[in-house]
Amino acid sequence: MEIIDLREEPEHLKTLAKWHHAQWSYLHPDASLNFRIKKMQAYLNEQIIPSTFICKIGQQLVGSAAIVEDDMQTHPSITPWLAALFVTPEFRKRGIGEQLVRHVMQYAKGSGFNTLHLFTDHQQNFYTRLGWSRLYDENYHNCQVTLMNIKLE
């Protein structure tokens, strides 16, 4: 298993966009797949944020995670965010998601950030096991979500 920056293999961008759109389009019902692909082009720039990391086993793409400036329109002052953690269904429950989260945490810390945020609608226990703290729950785009953070030490 290896985790690399999407910039190293940008040909995976469309696949990631399709996965992410299928997984989370309910949170952005007005956004099309083409809009998502265009928005994700920013991950190919040479900036720290946004960045996307992909996980591969051999030549097979199996997951991704990102660090973004803003992941919730309701909290524009909170930054940065862990976002787009995704592992293909056939590779779940193998520790890949944990490795991707830890990679983004390490990247954020190495980039000078002290805290990282995320929101989730159903993976609170997963993130709690990794040391994240629940801040509060809210309704976001008609979905009950939990806002969480972690201090990067």
Side-chain angles (χ1 to χ4, degrees):
M1 177 179 85
E2 72 173 326
I3 297 174
I4 61 172
D5 195 306
L6 178 63
R7 293 173 188 101
E8 295 178 38
E9 295 187 12
E11 65 271 18
H12 297 297
L13 186 139
K14 286 186 180 178
T15 299
L16 293 180
K18 289 176 187 174
W19 288 353
H20 297 176
H21 190 73
Q23 186 74 32
W24 297 296
S25 62
Y26 67 94
L27 290 170
H28 307 281
D30 296 333
S32 68
L33 174 59
N34 284 335
F35 175 80
R36 186 177 296 270
I37 291 169
K38 288 178 187 173
K39 184 177 177 185
M40 288 179 71
Q41 293 292 323
Y43 293 117
L44 303 179
N45 294 331
E46 291 299 320
Q47 303 163 333
I48 293 171
I49 296 177
S51 292
T52 290
F53 302 95
I54 57 174
C55 181
K56 294 171 50 184
I57 296 179
Q59 294 302 308
Q60 186 173 2
L61 183 65
V62 299
S64 69
I67 182 170
V68 300
E69 184 175 345
D70 177 16
D71 201 30
M72 292 180 80
Q73 293 92 358
T74 55
H75 300 286
S77 64
I78 297 175
T79 193
W81 295 75
L82 168 71
L85 175 63
F86 181 84
V87 177
T88 57
E90 63 272 22
F91 284 93
R92 291 179 184 164
K93 307 278 186 209
R94 297 184 189 189
I96 294 168
E98 178 178 343
Q99 292 300 315
L100 282 161
V101 170
R102 292 195 188 284
H103 187 87
V104 171
M105 290 167 55
Q106 199 170 39
Y107 180 80
K109 182 180 177 184
S111 299
F113 296 103
N114 299 319
T115 306
L116 199 54
H117 303 85
L118 65 80
F119 77 92
T120 182
D121 62 348
H122 64 280
Q123 292 295 330
Q124 295 86 343
N125 291 338
F126 169 77
Y127 291 108
T128 299
R129 283 194 316 273
L130 297 179
W132 292 72
S133 299
R134 180 189 165 277
L135 297 176
Y136 51 85
D137 298 325
E138 72 175 69
N139 188 291
Y140 185 65
H141 294 288
N142 297 315
C143 183
Q144 196 64 28
V145 301
T146 301
L147 182 64
M148 304 180 82
N149 75 358
I150 191 165
K151 302 294 182 194
L152 303 171
E153 301 174 350

